[in-house]
Amino acid sequence: MAASGLALDHAGELKRVSARRLRLARREWATGYLLILPAGVVLGVFHIFGIAYLVYVSLFKWAINPEALRGIGNYADLAHDSDFGLALLQTIFFVVGTVPFEMAIGIALAVLLFREIAARGLYRVIYFLPYVTSAVAVGVIFRWMFNGNGLANGLFQLLGLPKQKWLLESTGVLQLMAGHFGWHIPDWAGGPSQALVAIMAATIWSATGFQVVLFLAGLSTISTEVFEAARMDGASEWQILRRVTLPLLRPTVVFVATVSTIFAFRSFSQVYQMSQPNAGGPLNSTQLATIFIFNQFYRYSHVGYAAAASLIVFIIIL
Protein backbone atom coordinates (compact mmCIF):
# COMPACT_ATOMS: atom_id res chain seq x y z
CA MET A 1 0.00 0.00 0.00
CA ALA A 2 2.80 2.38 0.97
CA ALA A 3 4.69 1.60 -2.25
CA SER A 4 1.62 2.21 -4.37
CA GLY A 5 1.01 5.51 -2.56
CA LEU A 6 4.59 6.62 -3.24
CA ALA A 7 4.19 5.68 -6.89
CA LEU A 8 1.00 7.71 -7.13
CA ASP A 9 2.67 10.69 -5.45
CA HIS A 10 5.63 10.39 -7.83
CA ALA A 11 3.33 10.20 -10.86
CA GLY A 12 1.40 13.22 -9.64
CA GLU A 13 4.60 15.17 -9.14
CA LEU A 14 5.72 14.30 -12.69
CA LYS A 15 2.38 15.50 -14.05
CA ARG A 16 2.69 18.78 -12.14
CA VAL A 17 6.25 19.30 -13.38
CA SER A 18 5.18 18.51 -16.95
CA ALA A 19 2.24 20.90 -16.70
CA ARG A 20 4.52 23.63 -15.29
CA ARG A 21 7.05 23.11 -18.09
CA LEU A 22 4.26 23.22 -20.67
CA ARG A 23 2.98 26.52 -19.24
CA LEU A 24 6.51 27.98 -19.32
CA ALA A 25 6.99 26.78 -22.89
CA ARG A 26 3.69 28.32 -23.97
CA ARG A 27 4.61 31.56 -22.23
CA GLU A 28 7.96 31.60 -24.05
CA TRP A 29 6.25 30.91 -27.38
CA ALA A 30 3.73 33.67 -26.75
CA THR A 31 6.50 36.10 -25.79
CA GLY A 32 8.53 35.17 -28.85
CA TYR A 33 5.62 35.58 -31.25
CA LEU A 34 4.69 38.87 -29.58
CA LEU A 35 8.24 40.17 -30.13
CA ILE A 36 8.28 39.23 -33.83
CA LEU A 37 4.71 40.45 -34.40
CA PRO A 38 5.70 44.00 -35.54
CA ALA A 39 8.18 42.66 -38.07
CA GLY A 40 5.68 40.03 -39.17
CA VAL A 41 3.02 42.68 -39.78
CA VAL A 42 5.42 44.78 -41.85
CA LEU A 43 6.53 41.77 -43.90
CA GLY A 44 2.96 40.61 -44.35
CA VAL A 45 1.59 43.97 -45.47
CA PHE A 46 4.46 45.25 -47.58
CA HIS A 47 5.97 42.02 -48.91
CA ILE A 48 3.73 38.96 -48.79
CA PHE A 49 0.55 40.87 -49.64
CA GLY A 50 2.43 42.75 -52.36
CA ILE A 51 3.62 39.53 -53.98
CA ALA A 52 0.15 37.98 -53.75
CA TYR A 53 -1.42 41.08 -55.31
CA LEU A 54 1.27 41.07 -58.02
CA VAL A 55 0.25 37.52 -58.96
CA TYR A 56 -3.40 38.62 -59.06
CA VAL A 57 -2.70 41.64 -61.30
CA SER A 58 -0.56 39.55 -63.66
CA LEU A 59 -3.60 37.43 -64.55
CA PHE A 60 -5.55 40.36 -66.01
CA LYS A 61 -5.41 42.71 -68.94
CA TRP A 62 -4.90 45.68 -66.68
CA ALA A 63 -4.35 49.30 -67.66
CA ILE A 64 -5.64 51.85 -65.16
CA ASN A 65 -8.37 49.48 -64.01
CA PRO A 66 -8.69 45.69 -64.31
CA GLU A 67 -10.25 44.58 -67.55
CA ALA A 68 -10.53 41.07 -69.00
CA LEU A 69 -9.21 38.05 -67.11
CA ARG A 70 -6.36 36.60 -69.18
CA GLY A 71 -5.14 33.81 -66.92
CA ILE A 72 -1.65 32.93 -68.14
CA GLY A 73 -2.11 34.99 -71.31
CA ASN A 74 0.36 37.65 -70.17
CA TYR A 75 2.97 34.98 -69.46
CA ALA A 76 2.37 33.36 -72.86
CA ASP A 77 2.88 36.76 -74.53
CA LEU A 78 6.09 37.31 -72.58
CA ALA A 79 7.40 33.95 -73.76
CA HIS A 80 7.13 35.21 -77.35
CA ASP A 81 8.16 38.82 -76.66
CA SER A 82 11.57 39.40 -78.23
CA ASP A 83 12.01 42.66 -76.28
CA PHE A 84 11.56 40.85 -72.97
CA GLY A 85 13.95 38.12 -74.08
CA LEU A 86 16.52 40.76 -75.03
CA ALA A 87 16.02 42.49 -71.68
CA LEU A 88 16.69 39.22 -69.82
CA LEU A 89 19.78 38.56 -71.94
CA GLN A 90 21.11 42.04 -71.28
CA THR A 91 20.41 41.59 -67.59
CA ILE A 92 22.53 38.44 -67.63
CA PHE A 93 25.26 40.37 -69.47
CA PHE A 94 25.02 43.03 -66.78
CA VAL A 95 25.25 40.54 -63.90
CA VAL A 96 28.17 38.61 -65.44
CA GLY A 97 29.92 41.84 -66.39
CA THR A 98 29.71 43.45 -62.95
CA VAL A 99 29.56 40.93 -60.09
CA PRO A 100 32.84 39.05 -60.77
CA PHE A 101 34.77 42.30 -61.26
CA GLU A 102 33.25 43.89 -58.15
CA MET A 103 34.22 40.83 -56.11
CA ALA A 104 37.75 40.56 -57.51
CA ILE A 105 38.46 44.24 -56.88
CA GLY A 106 36.72 44.06 -53.50
CA ILE A 107 38.86 41.12 -52.33
CA ALA A 108 42.07 42.77 -53.54
CA LEU A 109 41.29 46.05 -51.80
CA ALA A 110 40.12 44.30 -48.63
CA VAL A 111 43.37 42.32 -48.39
CA LEU A 112 45.38 45.52 -48.82
CA LEU A 113 43.29 47.49 -46.33
CA PHE A 114 43.45 44.64 -43.81
CA ARG A 115 47.16 45.25 -43.39
CA GLU A 116 48.60 47.71 -40.89
CA ILE A 117 49.14 50.72 -43.15
CA ALA A 118 49.11 54.45 -42.48
CA ALA A 119 45.69 56.15 -42.72
CA ARG A 120 43.97 52.79 -43.14
CA GLY A 121 40.70 54.13 -41.73
CA LEU A 122 40.72 57.03 -44.20
CA TYR A 123 41.23 54.67 -47.15
CA ARG A 124 38.33 52.50 -45.97
CA VAL A 125 36.05 55.54 -45.85
CA ILE A 126 37.19 56.70 -49.31
CA TYR A 127 36.48 53.31 -50.91
CA PHE A 128 33.08 53.09 -49.23
CA LEU A 129 31.91 56.59 -50.22
CA PRO A 130 30.87 55.66 -53.79
CA TYR A 131 28.45 53.05 -52.42
CA VAL A 132 26.59 55.55 -50.22
CA THR A 133 26.53 58.20 -52.95
CA SER A 134 23.15 58.68 -54.63
CA ALA A 135 22.74 56.39 -57.64
CA VAL A 136 21.16 59.27 -59.55
CA ALA A 137 24.17 61.50 -58.85
CA VAL A 138 26.55 58.73 -59.94
CA GLY A 139 24.53 58.28 -63.13
CA VAL A 140 24.69 62.00 -63.95
CA ILE A 141 28.45 62.17 -63.36
CA PHE A 142 29.23 59.10 -65.44
CA ARG A 143 26.88 60.22 -68.19
CA TRP A 144 29.00 63.36 -68.44
CA MET A 145 32.22 61.30 -68.38
CA PHE A 146 31.01 59.11 -71.25
CA ASN A 147 29.63 61.82 -73.51
CA GLY A 148 31.35 62.82 -76.76
CA ASN A 149 33.73 65.30 -75.13
CA GLY A 150 33.89 63.70 -71.70
CA LEU A 151 36.72 62.30 -69.65
CA ALA A 152 36.62 58.82 -71.23
CA ASN A 153 37.23 60.12 -74.77
CA GLY A 154 39.85 62.50 -73.41
CA LEU A 155 41.80 59.53 -72.03
CA PHE A 156 41.33 57.66 -75.31
CA GLN A 157 42.82 60.59 -77.24
CA LEU A 158 45.82 60.70 -74.91
CA LEU A 159 46.40 57.02 -75.67
CA GLY A 160 46.05 57.62 -79.42
CA LEU A 161 42.75 55.74 -79.66
CA PRO A 162 39.71 56.94 -81.61
CA LYS A 163 36.81 58.65 -79.83
CA GLN A 164 33.87 56.42 -78.97
CA LYS A 165 30.11 57.03 -78.85
CA TRP A 166 29.82 55.22 -75.51
CA LEU A 167 26.25 55.73 -74.25
CA LEU A 168 25.02 56.37 -77.80
CA GLU A 169 26.48 53.15 -79.24
CA SER A 170 24.15 50.13 -79.52
CA THR A 171 26.69 47.84 -81.22
CA GLY A 172 28.13 45.01 -79.14
CA VAL A 173 31.64 45.53 -77.80
CA LEU A 174 32.88 42.26 -79.30
CA GLN A 175 31.64 43.39 -82.71
CA LEU A 176 33.39 46.73 -82.30
CA MET A 177 36.63 45.04 -81.28
CA ALA A 178 36.39 42.56 -84.16
CA GLY A 179 35.64 45.39 -86.61
CA HIS A 180 38.77 47.21 -85.46
CA PHE A 181 40.82 44.25 -86.71
CA GLY A 182 38.74 43.86 -89.87
CA TRP A 183 36.91 40.76 -88.64
CA HIS A 184 33.18 40.13 -88.78
CA ILE A 185 31.12 38.30 -86.18
CA PRO A 186 27.32 37.82 -86.16
CA ASP A 187 25.04 40.00 -84.08
CA TRP A 188 24.17 37.23 -81.64
CA ALA A 189 27.85 36.94 -80.66
CA GLY A 190 28.37 40.70 -80.36
CA GLY A 191 28.06 40.75 -76.57
CA PRO A 192 26.69 43.67 -74.54
CA SER A 193 26.46 47.04 -76.24
CA GLN A 194 29.12 49.65 -75.65
CA ALA A 195 26.47 51.74 -73.89
CA LEU A 196 25.75 48.89 -71.47
CA VAL A 197 29.48 48.37 -70.84
CA ALA A 198 29.79 52.03 -69.87
CA ILE A 199 26.95 51.54 -67.37
CA MET A 200 28.69 48.41 -66.07
CA ALA A 201 31.86 50.43 -65.43
CA ALA A 202 29.87 52.99 -63.41
CA THR A 203 28.16 50.20 -61.45
CA ILE A 204 31.47 48.50 -60.62
CA TRP A 205 32.89 51.82 -59.38
CA SER A 206 29.90 52.53 -57.15
CA ALA A 207 29.30 49.02 -55.77
CA THR A 208 32.83 47.82 -55.01
CA GLY A 209 32.93 49.61 -51.65
CA PHE A 210 30.12 47.39 -50.38
CA GLN A 211 32.17 44.28 -51.19
CA VAL A 212 35.24 45.77 -49.51
CA VAL A 213 33.38 46.23 -46.22
CA LEU A 214 31.98 42.68 -46.29
CA PHE A 215 35.33 41.10 -47.17
CA LEU A 216 37.04 43.12 -44.42
CA ALA A 217 34.47 41.72 -42.00
CA GLY A 218 35.21 38.21 -43.27
CA LEU A 219 38.97 38.70 -42.94
CA SER A 220 38.56 39.90 -39.37
CA THR A 221 37.14 36.49 -38.41
CA ILE A 222 40.34 34.70 -39.51
CA SER A 223 42.93 34.32 -36.77
CA THR A 224 46.16 36.22 -37.44
CA GLU A 225 48.05 33.20 -36.12
CA VAL A 226 47.12 31.33 -39.30
CA PHE A 227 48.85 33.96 -41.45
CA GLU A 228 51.86 34.08 -39.13
CA ALA A 229 52.24 30.29 -39.26
CA ALA A 230 52.08 30.33 -43.07
CA ARG A 231 54.79 33.02 -43.24
CA MET A 232 56.98 31.09 -40.82
CA ASP A 233 56.67 28.07 -43.12
CA GLY A 234 58.04 30.19 -45.96
CA ALA A 235 54.81 30.80 -47.90
CA SER A 236 54.79 33.81 -50.20
CA GLU A 237 52.03 36.43 -50.04
CA TRP A 238 50.47 35.02 -53.22
CA GLN A 239 50.50 31.49 -51.75
CA ILE A 240 48.94 32.78 -48.53
CA LEU A 241 46.20 34.45 -50.55
CA ARG A 242 45.48 31.32 -52.61
CA ARG A 243 46.00 28.61 -50.00
CA VAL A 244 44.92 30.32 -46.78
CA THR A 245 42.92 33.51 -47.23
CA LEU A 246 40.53 32.52 -50.02
CA PRO A 247 39.63 29.06 -48.63
CA LEU A 248 38.91 30.51 -45.17
CA LEU A 249 37.00 33.40 -46.78
CA ARG A 250 34.73 31.05 -48.75
CA PRO A 251 31.55 31.61 -46.66
CA THR A 252 31.91 35.37 -47.12
CA VAL A 253 32.57 34.93 -50.84
CA VAL A 254 29.38 32.88 -51.26
CA PHE A 255 27.34 35.43 -49.32
CA VAL A 256 28.76 38.41 -51.25
CA ALA A 257 28.23 36.64 -54.59
CA THR A 258 24.60 35.90 -53.73
CA VAL A 259 23.78 39.39 -52.47
CA SER A 260 25.63 41.13 -55.31
CA THR A 261 23.84 39.01 -57.92
CA ILE A 262 20.46 39.94 -56.41
CA PHE A 263 21.42 43.62 -56.40
CA ALA A 264 22.60 43.40 -60.02
CA PHE A 265 19.32 41.82 -61.16
CA ARG A 266 17.44 44.62 -59.41
CA SER A 267 19.58 47.51 -60.70
CA PHE A 268 17.46 50.39 -61.90
CA SER A 269 18.20 53.98 -60.80
CA GLN A 270 21.71 54.27 -62.17
CA VAL A 271 20.89 52.37 -65.36
CA TYR A 272 17.81 54.52 -65.92
CA GLN A 273 19.73 57.75 -65.32
CA MET A 274 22.56 56.84 -67.70
CA SER A 275 20.09 55.69 -70.38
CA GLN A 276 18.42 59.09 -70.67
CA PRO A 277 16.75 60.68 -72.56
CA ASN A 278 15.34 57.32 -73.70
CA ALA A 279 14.82 54.75 -70.96
CA GLY A 280 16.45 51.72 -72.52
CA GLY A 281 19.30 53.44 -74.34
CA PRO A 282 20.01 53.36 -78.09
CA LEU A 283 17.86 50.70 -79.76
CA ASN A 284 16.97 49.38 -76.28
CA SER A 285 20.54 48.15 -75.90
CA THR A 286 20.63 49.08 -72.19
CA GLN A 287 17.09 47.93 -71.41
CA LEU A 288 17.48 45.56 -68.49
CA ALA A 289 14.55 43.58 -67.10
CA THR A 290 13.84 46.32 -64.54
CA ILE A 291 13.78 49.00 -67.27
CA PHE A 292 11.48 46.79 -69.38
CA ILE A 293 9.05 46.50 -66.45
CA PHE A 294 9.23 50.25 -65.86
CA ASN A 295 8.50 51.03 -69.51
CA GLN A 296 5.56 48.62 -69.65
CA PHE A 297 4.08 50.06 -66.47
CA TYR A 298 4.65 53.82 -66.82
CA ARG A 299 5.10 54.44 -70.54
CA TYR A 300 2.58 52.01 -72.00
CA SER A 301 0.23 51.48 -69.00
CA HIS A 302 0.42 47.70 -69.47
CA VAL A 303 0.09 47.07 -65.74
CA GLY A 304 -0.85 43.39 -65.96
CA TYR A 305 1.92 42.72 -68.47
CA ALA A 306 4.46 44.52 -66.25
CA ALA A 307 3.24 42.51 -63.24
CA ALA A 308 3.77 39.25 -65.10
CA ALA A 309 7.29 40.31 -66.10
CA SER A 310 7.99 41.35 -62.49
CA LEU A 311 6.91 37.94 -61.21
CA ILE A 312 9.20 36.15 -63.68
CA VAL A 313 12.16 38.28 -62.61
CA PHE A 314 11.23 37.68 -58.96
CA ILE A 315 11.26 33.90 -59.52
CA ILE A 316 14.65 34.11 -61.27
CA ILE A 317 16.12 36.07 -58.35
CA LEU A 318 14.52 33.75 -55.81
Side-chain angles (χ1 to χ4, degrees), residues 112-236:
L112 292 174
L113 295 176
F114 191 67
R115 299 168 180 267
E116 294 293 338
I117 59 175
R120 181 174 66 173
L122 177 62
Y123 286 122
R124 291 181 176 183
V125 171
I126 290 173
Y127 283 118
F128 188 65
L129 278 177
Y131 181 71
V132 296
T133 303
S134 167
V136 175
V138 172
V140 171
I141 293 170
F142 273 88
R143 196 172 69 188
W144 168 79
M145 291 174 60
F146 285 111
N147 68 24
N149 298 313
L151 181 62
N153 275 334
L155 291 175
F156 266 49
Q157 286 181 311
L158 287 177
L159 297 173
L161 298 172
K163 294 175 68 174
Q164 302 294 320
K165 295 181 181 179
W166 296 114
L167 294 173
L168 300 177
E169 180 60 76
S170 61
T171 307
V173 288
L174 299 181
Q175 282 183 309
L176 290 174
M177 293 171 63
H180 181 74
F181 294 101
W183 304 336
H184 174 74
I185 59 176
D187 292 341
W188 60 266
S193 68
Q194 189 179 72
L196 187 58
V197 170
I199 296 175
M200 290 178 190
T203 303
I204 292 170
W205 178 84
S206 63
T208 298
F210 177 69
Q211 271 83 339
V212 172
V213 171
L214 292 180
F215 285 127
L216 280 172
L219 287 170
S220 66
T221 63
I222 303 175
S223 174
T224 56
E225 296 177 355
V226 177
F227 299 114
E228 293 171 0
R231 292 189 180 97
M232 290 179 62
D233 288 338
S236 65

Side-chain angles (χ1 to χ4, degrees), residues 10-297:
H10 183 64
E13 182 65 23
L14 287 177
K15 287 182 179 180
R16 286 192 292 272
V17 170
S18 299
R20 187 163 55 250
R21 287 179 177 175
L22 183 59
R23 286 195 299 270
L24 289 174
R26 286 175 177 173
R27 189 177 303 168
E28 289 180 356
W29 295 340
T31 303
Y33 281 116
L34 185 62
L35 290 173
I36 67 173
L37 181 61
V41 171
V42 172
L43 288 173
V45 173
F46 295 101
H47 290 268
I48 298 174
F49 172 76
I51 294 171
Y53 193 69
L54 178 72
V55 175
Y56 171 74
V57 173
S58 71
L59 302 176
F60 286 83
K61 182 181 179 182
W62 194 308
I64 298 176
N65 296 308
E67 298 175 7
L69 176 65
R70 299 204 64 205
I72 62 170
N74 287 326
Y75 298 96
D77 290 345
L78 282 171
H80 298 91
D81 191 335
S82 59
D83 287 341
F84 182 62
L86 179 62
L88 287 179
L89 177 63
Q90 289 173 165
T91 303
I92 293 173
F93 282 149
F94 184 81
V95 172
V96 174
T98 55
V99 174
F101 291 100
E102 291 169 7
M103 293 184 63
I105 298 171
I107 290 176
L109 291 175
V111 170
L112 292 174
L113 295 176
F114 191 67
R115 299 168 180 267
E116 294 293 338
I117 59 175
R120 181 174 66 173
L122 177 62
Y123 286 122
R124 291 181 176 183
V125 171
I126 290 173
Y127 283 118
F128 188 65
L129 278 177
Y131 181 71
V132 296
T133 303
S134 167
V136 175
V138 172
V140 171
I141 293 170
F142 273 88
R143 196 172 69 188
W144 168 79
M145 291 174 60
F146 285 111
N147 68 24
N149 298 313
L151 181 62
N153 275 334
L155 291 175
F156 266 49
Q157 286 181 311
L158 287 177
L159 297 173
L161 298 172
K163 294 175 68 174
Q164 302 294 320
K165 295 181 181 179
W166 296 114
L167 294 173
L168 300 177
E169 180 60 76
S170 61
T171 307
V173 288
L174 299 181
Q175 282 183 309
L176 290 174
M177 293 171 63
H180 181 74
F181 294 101
W183 304 336
H184 174 74
I185 59 176
D187 292 341
W188 60 266
S193 68
Q194 189 179 72
L196 187 58
V197 170
I199 296 175
M200 290 178 190
T203 303
I204 292 170
W205 178 84
S206 63
T208 298
F210 177 69
Q211 271 83 339
V212 172
V213 171
L214 292 180
F215 285 127
L216 280 172
L219 287 170
S220 66
T221 63
I222 303 175
S223 174
T224 56
E225 296 177 355
V226 177
F227 299 114
E228 293 171 0
R231 292 189 180 97
M232 290 179 62
D233 288 338
S236 65
E237 293 300 320
W238 173 246
Q239 289 174 325
I240 292 174
L241 177 64
R242 286 183 56 202
R243 306 291 185 181
V244 179
T245 305
L246 291 181
L248 294 177
L249 205 59
R250 187 174 299 168
T252 306
V253 171
V254 173
F255 172 76
V256 173
T258 304
V259 172
S260 299
T261 301
I262 293 172
F263 286 171
F265 266 102
R266 295 169 53 191
S267 294
F268 175 79
S269 298
Q270 195 168 295
V271 180
Y272 177 78
Q273 186 62 43
M274 293 185 69
S275 299
Q276 292 301 315
N278 173 35
L283 299 178
N284 287 333
S285 60
T286 63
Q287 182 173 247
L288 304 185
T290 51
I291 303 295
F292 176 88
I293 294 167
F294 171 84
N295 286 335
Q296 294 297 321
F297 188 92

